[in-house]
Amino acid sequence: MTTMPVGGVQPLADEDGAADLVVRNAKIHTGDPRRPRADAVAVKDGRIMVLGDDRDVAPYVGRSTRVVDALGRRVIPGLNDAHLHVIRGGLNYVLELRWDGVRTLRQALAMLREQAGRTPKGQWVRVIGGWTKEQFAERRMPTTAELNEAAPDTPVFVMHLYQSAILNRAAVQAAGFTRDRPDPRGGQIVRGRDGEPTGMLLAAPSALILYSTLAKAPGLDPAEQELSTRHYLRELNRFGLTSAIDAAGGFQSFPENYDTVTRLARKGELTLRIAYHLFPQTPGQELSDLKRWIDTVRPGDGDEWLRLNGAGETLTWAAVDFENFAQPRPELADYEAEFESAVRLLMENGWGFRLHATYDETIQRNLRVFEKLAAEGLFPAGQRWLFDHAETVSAESLDRVGALGGALSVQDRMAFQGEAFVRRYGAAAAAEAPPLRAMLERGLTVAAGSDATRVTSYNPWVALHWLVSGRTVGGLTLYPAYNRVDRATALELYTRGGALLSGEEEVKGLLRPGHFGDLAILDQDFFEIPEQDIPHIESVLTVVGGRVVYAAAEYEGLDEALPAISPTWSPVAHYGGYQAAARPGSTGALQAELLSQAVAESEQHRQWRVRHGLLPARTVGTGPFDPCFSP
């Protein structure tokens, strides 16, 4: 048996009564108001059997018990992302070049250039979400010229939130964009003076143009999708995530796109508990899709690893208000009749749902439908329902949500789009987008998540930092103190909050005897480190049901080995996923951050001098202005 050596711990229990896993010498935040703190925990058959101190767990240590010394580190309940596109993200993870956490555009473009060199003919380099230009020292997006220089022959697709995408020349050709190709509904193909596509796509405001273009890139075969998903789940485990509620999404069809996680669940190879939703994919046939699913599956079907949670986050496409804050709020046509039919169908058949709703105008229209059904005694009919996002929800709407027994799920989209929101609506409106404190003061059920992977980063600590600090990843303070939460509350939103949305609050979301043995040992103490260091937290040991699913630092090798990433040219195989940076509070980190900004500024100054004839021109991107900044 592989275990962490712990001096002085002797096996006492017989094998029938022995724990499978014991974590001792820890600072455990249980999340349980009945017992907020503990020093040790014992897990057996996937559930917590004992929570206390080392003396309490010692009688349950047997010869087969894995004993882990936490070395005084902070232990928390496993994190639960209440809105994550985990199923879709897993199918494509190993194909994507992740700019999550990259601090300069110069570094991002260097990664892209290197990846283009190893990507085989016929494949694309794709950067899909998890970043914003505000995180870069240069504070700008790449240009089509820079993409063309970095990858002259390999198609490149770079998506920025649900606002826009930039394609190089090869990708424009591969996607079939020509001067005669009309703009799709809700999207714009930007064209030059000659009428030819420039490579810029705008979601104006619909993201369907981004979805449909990305869908033209080659995918993975079923075996590779399984492996990609396993590596993506391991990446989530790296940050202490043990559960997620999958919000479905565009181009995620049921049942075919759910086959991969279903096969992994049957083989016992999931390392993250998933409660999933079903999302009608084709405008005009939403009701027929819902009727078909109602006849074949039921909410609650599955087990503790993979289970159906309900419908959404879209029920009818006409009711979707895309959150492109760089564009005006979309004016939705009449959708209530079809939307009411969908909600009525779900209520009559015992299905709960979640709803994408960015703007209060949409929320109010939806609430009128719900109130009409409630007057007939058909809503909520004992079913769980919630609004997702709700950045501009009003106090009046919150009261109506509460009266109808609804809940809310918030994500850190403003951490990535806050600057755009401020430019359009002003700082005063941004200060309560969303009005988190008002939600909590009303006693509403509120959960937190990320909306990764195509919008924000899947790193939960970025979202937790946003909840606590009220700041964007670019450093802009959005929220005054009254609209922020303390660290314990933020953690509760990212643990028990999600359990409430999936109806699993009796078995997950906190550490208590009888609950799932889901926990994480952190490399830094969330409750004690400087606020600016929160986004840099990672887990050193993540446990799901008593099973070690991720191990690093002193615990490296305690988790299960994964097969090597396939295909071998995968960006993840070379760069990994989230790009961790030095903590701002650590020695030398500030100097490193300033140096990275100096690199970006040096290149900007060089380009200015070239434009003004003060330096000879050279091929863009072939080398740095200052040779000491060479990679």
Side-chain angles (χ1 to χ4, degrees):
M1 177 192 67
T2 303
T3 189
M4 176 108 182
V6 181
V9 176
Q10 299 296 325
L12 298 175
D14 59 50
E15 291 310 294
D16 290 339
D20 300 319
L21 173 74
V22 164
V23 176
R24 62 176 292 275
N25 188 22
K27 291 190 296 184
I28 301 176
H29 174 84
T30 68
D32 185 354
R34 295 187 296 190
R35 180 166 192 167
R37 293 174 295 278
D39 302 312
V41 59
V43 180
K44 182 177 177 61
D45 297 329
R47 305 268 182 147
I48 296 174
M49 62 185 305
V50 179
L51 191 72
D53 58 26
D54 285 2
R55 290 171 298 179
D56 296 322
V57 301
Y60 301 95
V61 175
R63 294 191 179 278
S64 61
T65 302
R66 171 175 280 176
V67 180
V68 173
D69 187 337
L71 301 174
R73 289 188 171 104
R74 175 66 67 184
V75 173
I76 62 168
L79 298 178
N80 184 350
D81 190 320
H83 186 120
L84 177 64
H85 297 278
V86 59
I87 293 175
R88 183 178 66 191
L91 297 178
N92 303 285
Y93 174 62
V94 300
L95 293 177
E96 296 173 357
L97 177 65
R98 303 302 306 180
W99 282 355
D100 307 48
V102 175
R103 301 304 300 165
T104 70
L105 178 59
R106 181 179 177 83
Q107 178 188 350
L109 287 171
M111 293 168 67
L112 192 149
R113 182 181 297 108
E114 286 186 356
Q115 182 57 40
R118 71 174 63 88
T119 300
K121 185 177 178 60
Q123 279 288 350
W124 294 27
V125 176
R126 55 201 98 182
V127 179
I128 311 299
W131 66 281
T132 171
K133 66 185 179 70
E134 309 297 344
Q135 78 192 43
F136 295 144
E138 299 91 334
R139 296 289 202 248
R140 69 174 180 87
M141 295 172 63
T143 66
T144 53
E146 287 170 324
L147 299 190
N148 287 328
E149 188 278 328
D153 304 311
T154 303
V156 173
F157 179 95
V158 176
M159 191 167 88
H160 185 231
L161 307 169
Y162 279 152
Q163 295 180 2
S164 60
I166 310 171
L167 284 67
N168 70 345
R169 190 179 303 108
V172 169
Q173 295 172 353
F177 292 127
T178 65
R179 64 182 302 145
D180 301 322
R181 172 84 174 268
D183 287 348
R185 181 180 177 183
Q188 180 184 352
I189 304 169
V190 179
R191 304 171 194 276
R193 297 187 187 93
D194 58 359
E196 295 290 342
T198 64
M200 177 69 74
L201 306 179
L202 299 180
S206 171
L208 289 177
I209 187 174
L210 310 181
Y211 286 153
S212 58
T213 304
L214 179 60
K216 297 176 182 179
L220 297 169
D221 65 36
E224 289 175 325
Q225 287 179 336
E226 280 195 27
L227 186 55
S228 175
T229 298
R230 292 184 68 188
H231 277 279
Y232 181 48
L233 299 185
R234 176 66 62 88
E235 173 75 352
L236 298 177
N237 299 149
R238 166 188 168 195
F239 296 100
L241 281 159
T242 60
S243 290
I245 305 179
D246 185 82
F251 288 76
Q252 182 174 318
S253 298
F254 181 83
E256 53 268 31
N257 293 135
Y258 294 71
D259 286 346
T260 296
V261 289
T262 301
R263 290 194 302 270
L264 291 175
R266 288 172 179 163
K267 293 190 289 186
E269 292 178 346
L270 290 179
T271 60
L272 188 86
R273 304 183 193 276
I274 301 172
Y276 64 89
H277 287 253
L278 301 184
F279 179 142
Q281 294 298 304
T282 306
Q285 70 175 51
E286 295 97 330
L287 288 176
S288 61
D289 282 343
L290 292 173
K291 290 175 181 176
R292 176 166 49 88
W293 298 335
I294 286 169
D295 289 339
T296 56
V297 290
R298 298 280 301 173
D301 283 356
D303 59 20
E304 63 192 41
W305 286 95
L306 181 67
R307 61 195 297 271
L308 173 61
N309 201 45
E313 63 180 297
T314 291
L315 302 184
T316 60
W317 278 95
V320 177
D321 58 353
F322 287 101
E323 74 289 352
N324 184 352
F325 297 137
Q327 295 284 332
R329 177 179 61 83
E331 295 294 337
L332 303 182
D334 291 341
Y335 65 79
E336 281 82 354
E338 182 185 36
F339 180 72
E340 178 184 328
S341 296
V343 176
R344 185 183 296 271
L345 178 66
L346 294 171
M347 293 297 100
E348 291 174 344
N349 288 277
W351 278 59
F353 61 86
R354 65 190 311 158
L355 275 178
H356 173 111
T358 301
Y359 300 98
D360 190 55
E361 290 80 356
T362 309
I363 291 170
Q364 290 196 24
R365 290 175 68 173
N366 293 345
L367 286 170
R368 284 194 288 271
V369 172
F370 302 159
E371 289 162 346
K372 176 184 176 181
L373 295 176
E376 300 177 28
L378 292 176
F379 191 90
Q383 307 307 316
R384 290 186 302 275
W385 72 275
L386 65 125
F387 282 122
D388 278 304
H389 314 313
E391 276 85 2
T392 71
V393 65
S394 65
E396 176 197 358
S397 294
L398 291 178
D399 291 336
R400 293 164 70 188
V401 169
L404 291 169
L408 295 138
S409 177
V410 298
Q411 300 81 40
D412 62 330
R413 304 193 309 180
M414 287 290 285
F416 288 76
Q417 303 182 81
E419 286 84 356
F421 190 99
V422 168
R423 285 191 291 269
R424 180 161 297 279
Y425 300 108
E432 294 190 1
L436 185 61
R437 181 59 66 181
M439 296 174 182
L440 295 172
E441 288 175 348
R442 284 167 169 77
L444 295 170
T445 295
V446 183
S450 66
D451 203 8
T453 58
R454 293 183 178 177
V455 180
T456 68
S457 174
Y458 51 75
N459 183 345
W461 299 103
V462 174
L464 284 157
H465 176 259
W466 165 75
L467 289 166
V468 169
S469 71
R471 296 170 68 90
T472 71
V473 296
L476 175 67
T477 298
L478 295 173
Y479 310 132
Y482 73 81
N483 199 32
R484 306 175 205 165
V485 297
D486 59 55
R487 300 189 194 197
T489 301
L491 192 60
E492 183 178 4
L493 298 181
Y494 234 99
T495 51
R496 190 167 183 269
L500 288 166
L501 296 191
S502 61
E504 298 174 282
E505 65 272 18
E506 297 302 320
V507 291
K508 69 164 69 167
L510 48 83
L511 299 177
R512 175 188 288 173
H515 280 52
F516 292 149
D518 301 352
L519 57 90
I521 304 177
L522 306 181
D523 66 346
Q524 304 173 74
D525 191 334
F526 171 58
F527 293 100
E528 295 182 2
I529 61 173
E531 186 177 89
Q532 63 195 22
D533 287 348
I534 292 174
H536 301 269
I537 293 175
E538 294 189 19
S539 173
V540 291
L541 192 85
T542 304
V543 175
V544 185
R547 171 182 162 205
V548 177
V549 296
Y550 177 80
E554 295 89 349
Y555 312 103
E556 187 171 355
L558 295 187
D559 52 4
E560 303 155 4
L562 280 181
I565 292 174
S566 176
T568 56
W569 54 267
S570 161
V572 176
H574 186 76
Y575 294 108
Y578 188 91
Q579 300 295 301
R583 301 194 311 274
S586 64
T587 303
L590 179 59
Q591 181 180 0
E593 180 71 12
L594 292 174
L595 180 63
S596 71
Q597 294 181 27
V599 171
E601 292 170 0
S602 175
E603 175 61 16
Q604 290 174 348
H605 293 163
R606 187 201 65 78
Q607 293 177 6
W608 184 90
R609 294 183 182 192
V610 169
R611 288 195 300 271
H612 289 78
L614 302 177
L615 279 179
R618 60 170 172 79
T619 303
V620 176
T622 56
F625 171 54
D626 188 333
C628 59
F629 291 139
S630 297

